[in-house]
Protein backbone atom coordinates (compact mmCIF):
# COMPACT_ATOMS: atom_id res chain seq x y z
CA UNK A 1 0.00 0.00 0.00
CA UNK A 2 2.81 2.42 0.85
CA UNK A 3 4.64 1.53 -2.34
CA UNK A 4 1.56 2.29 -4.47
CA UNK A 5 1.16 5.62 -2.71
CA UNK A 6 4.83 6.48 -3.34
CA UNK A 7 4.52 5.54 -7.04
CA UNK A 8 1.37 7.64 -7.40
CA UNK A 9 3.05 10.61 -5.67
CA UNK A 10 6.11 10.24 -7.94
CA UNK A 11 3.95 10.22 -11.07
CA UNK A 12 2.05 13.31 -9.89
CA UNK A 13 5.34 15.08 -9.08
CA UNK A 14 6.70 14.19 -12.52
CA UNK A 15 3.59 15.65 -14.21
CA UNK A 16 3.87 18.83 -12.09
CA UNK A 17 7.52 19.24 -13.09
CA UNK A 18 6.81 18.66 -16.80
CA UNK A 19 3.84 21.02 -16.73
CA UNK A 20 5.89 23.73 -14.97
CA UNK A 21 8.73 23.36 -17.48
CA UNK A 22 6.41 23.55 -20.51
CA UNK A 23 4.50 26.48 -18.96
CA UNK A 24 7.76 28.33 -18.30
CA UNK A 25 9.03 27.74 -21.83
CA UNK A 26 5.77 28.96 -23.42
CA UNK A 27 5.55 32.12 -21.29
CA UNK A 28 6.81 35.31 -23.00
CA UNK A 29 10.08 36.52 -21.43
CA UNK A 30 8.72 39.99 -20.58
CA UNK A 31 5.89 38.60 -18.43
CA UNK A 32 8.00 36.31 -16.21
CA UNK A 33 8.22 37.54 -12.63
CA UNK A 34 11.04 37.53 -10.05
CA UNK A 35 14.01 36.18 -12.05
CA UNK A 36 14.78 35.74 -15.73
CA UNK A 37 13.23 33.01 -17.84
CA UNK A 38 16.47 30.99 -18.32
CA UNK A 39 16.99 31.07 -14.55
CA UNK A 40 13.50 29.66 -14.03
CA UNK A 41 14.16 26.85 -16.51
CA UNK A 42 17.38 25.96 -14.69
CA UNK A 43 15.69 26.05 -11.30
CA UNK A 44 12.91 23.73 -12.51
CA UNK A 45 15.47 21.29 -13.93
CA UNK A 46 17.99 21.42 -11.07
CA UNK A 47 15.50 21.52 -8.17
CA UNK A 48 12.70 19.47 -9.73
CA UNK A 49 9.73 19.67 -7.40
CA UNK A 50 10.82 22.74 -5.44
CA UNK A 51 11.67 24.69 -8.63
CA UNK A 52 8.32 23.79 -10.18
CA UNK A 53 6.39 24.90 -7.12
CA UNK A 54 8.40 28.14 -6.91
CA UNK A 55 7.60 28.75 -10.58
CA UNK A 56 3.86 28.46 -9.92
CA UNK A 57 3.95 30.79 -6.90
CA UNK A 58 6.68 33.32 -7.76
CA UNK A 59 7.54 33.23 -11.45
CA UNK A 60 4.36 32.64 -13.40
CA UNK A 61 2.52 35.73 -14.71
CA UNK A 62 -0.30 36.87 -12.48
CA UNK A 63 -3.75 35.69 -13.47
CA UNK A 64 -6.46 38.29 -13.91
CA UNK A 65 -4.24 40.68 -15.82
CA UNK A 66 -5.01 41.53 -19.42
CA UNK A 67 -4.27 38.81 -21.99
CA UNK A 68 -0.65 38.58 -23.06
CA UNK A 69 -1.26 38.87 -26.79
CA UNK A 70 -2.81 42.34 -26.30
CA UNK A 71 -0.14 43.72 -24.00
CA UNK A 72 2.98 45.35 -25.35
CA UNK A 73 6.35 44.56 -23.78
CA UNK A 74 7.17 46.90 -20.95
CA UNK A 75 3.72 48.43 -20.85
CA UNK A 76 2.02 49.13 -17.58
CA UNK A 77 -1.48 48.10 -16.64
CA UNK A 78 -2.78 51.68 -16.61
CA UNK A 79 -3.69 53.43 -19.83
CA UNK A 80 -2.14 56.73 -20.79
CA UNK A 81 -2.99 59.52 -23.16
CA UNK A 82 -1.33 59.46 -26.60
CA UNK A 83 0.54 62.69 -25.88
CA UNK A 84 2.23 60.98 -22.90
CA UNK A 85 3.70 58.27 -25.12
CA UNK A 86 7.15 59.31 -26.39
CA UNK A 87 7.21 56.73 -29.19
CA UNK A 88 3.86 57.94 -30.48
CA UNK A 89 5.04 61.55 -30.47
CA UNK A 90 8.26 60.62 -32.31
CA UNK A 91 6.28 58.77 -34.96
CA UNK A 92 3.91 61.73 -35.45
CA UNK A 93 6.88 64.12 -35.76
CA UNK A 94 8.57 61.82 -38.29
CA UNK A 95 5.38 61.59 -40.37
CA UNK A 96 5.03 65.38 -40.37
CA UNK A 97 8.64 65.80 -41.53
CA UNK A 98 8.10 63.25 -44.31
CA UNK A 99 4.98 65.09 -45.49
CA UNK A 100 6.87 68.40 -45.54
CA UNK A 101 9.72 66.82 -47.55
CA UNK A 102 7.23 65.33 -50.02
CA UNK A 103 5.45 68.68 -50.43
CA UNK A 104 8.78 70.47 -51.04
CA UNK A 105 9.80 67.85 -53.61
CA UNK A 106 6.51 68.18 -55.48
CA UNK A 107 6.85 71.98 -55.44
CA UNK A 108 10.36 71.79 -56.94
CA UNK A 109 9.23 69.29 -59.57
CA UNK A 110 6.38 71.61 -60.62
CA UNK A 111 8.77 74.58 -60.84
CA UNK A 112 11.15 72.54 -62.99
CA UNK A 113 8.33 71.47 -65.30
CA UNK A 114 7.23 75.11 -65.68
CA UNK A 115 10.79 76.20 -66.57
CA UNK A 116 11.14 73.43 -69.15
CA UNK A 117 7.77 74.30 -70.64
CA UNK A 118 8.77 77.99 -71.04
CA UNK A 119 12.04 77.07 -72.79
CA UNK A 120 10.20 74.93 -75.33
CA UNK A 121 7.58 77.65 -76.00
CA UNK A 122 10.18 80.41 -76.51
CA UNK A 123 11.83 78.46 -79.30
CA UNK A 124 15.14 78.30 -77.51
CA UNK A 125 17.17 75.15 -77.97
CA UNK A 126 16.77 72.45 -75.40
CA UNK A 127 20.53 71.93 -75.08
CA UNK A 128 22.55 74.11 -72.77
CA UNK A 129 25.45 74.56 -75.24
CA UNK A 130 23.25 75.92 -78.05
CA UNK A 131 23.86 72.99 -80.39
CA UNK A 132 20.21 72.51 -81.11
CA UNK A 133 18.66 71.94 -84.52
CA UNK A 134 20.17 73.81 -87.49
CA UNK A 135 18.38 76.97 -88.68
CA UNK A 136 15.94 76.31 -91.48
CA UNK A 137 16.52 79.44 -93.57
CA UNK A 138 18.49 79.83 -96.85
CA UNK A 139 22.14 79.17 -96.41
CA UNK A 140 25.05 80.33 -98.46
CA UNK A 141 27.82 78.01 -99.35
CA UNK A 142 31.20 79.55 -98.49
CA UNK A 143 32.70 77.95 -101.61
CA UNK A 144 30.41 79.93 -103.89
CA UNK A 145 31.71 83.33 -102.73
Amino acid sequence: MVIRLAIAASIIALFVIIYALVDCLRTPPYSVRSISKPAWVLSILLLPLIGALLWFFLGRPRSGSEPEQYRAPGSSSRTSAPDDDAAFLRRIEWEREQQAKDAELKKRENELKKREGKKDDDGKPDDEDGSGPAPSGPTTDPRNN
Side-chain angles (χ1 to χ4, degrees):
M1 178 76 178
V2 174
I3 295 176
R4 287 184 186 173
L5 188 60
I7 292 174
S10 299
I11 291 173
I12 291 173
L14 182 65
F15 282 129
V16 167
I17 293 166
I18 291 172
Y19 181 77
L21 185 61
V22 170
D23 188 41
C24 180
L25 291 173
R26 295 190 69 203
T27 302
Y30 59 85
S31 63
V32 174
R33 297 185 301 153
S34 301
I35 59 177
S36 67
K37 186 174 175 177
W40 277 117
V41 171
L42 284 176
S43 68
I44 293 170
L45 292 175
L46 297 177
L47 305 168
L49 193 55
I50 296 171
L53 292 175
L54 287 174
W55 163 252
F56 289 124
F57 291 113
L58 301 176
R60 194 172 184 193
R62 295 183 193 268
S63 61
S65 63
E66 64 182 276
E68 296 303 322
Q69 67 265 24
Y70 299 116
R71 202 166 112 193
S75 67
S76 63
S77 60
R78 69 175 185 86
T79 58
S80 63
D83 59 348
D84 291 341
D85 186 11
F88 176 76
L89 294 174
R90 279 193 303 269
R91 191 187 74 212
I92 294 295
E93 182 66 26
W94 179 82
E95 288 175 357
R96 188 173 45 186
E97 289 173 2
Q98 291 299 317
Q99 288 174 351
K101 287 179 184 178
D102 290 343
E104 181 68 23
L105 182 63
K106 286 182 181 182
K107 179 182 172 186
R108 289 184 183 202
E109 287 176 351
N110 289 336
E111 288 176 2
L112 184 61
K113 286 180 184 178
K114 286 180 183 177
R115 286 185 199 162
E116 289 176 353
K118 285 182 181 178
K119 280 186 181 178
D120 291 342
D121 293 342
D122 293 343
K124 292 182 182 176
D126 290 339
D127 297 338
E128 292 286 327
D129 60 357
S131 63
S136 62
T139 60
T140 55
D141 191 6
R143 292 178 286 173
N144 292 340
N145 291 340

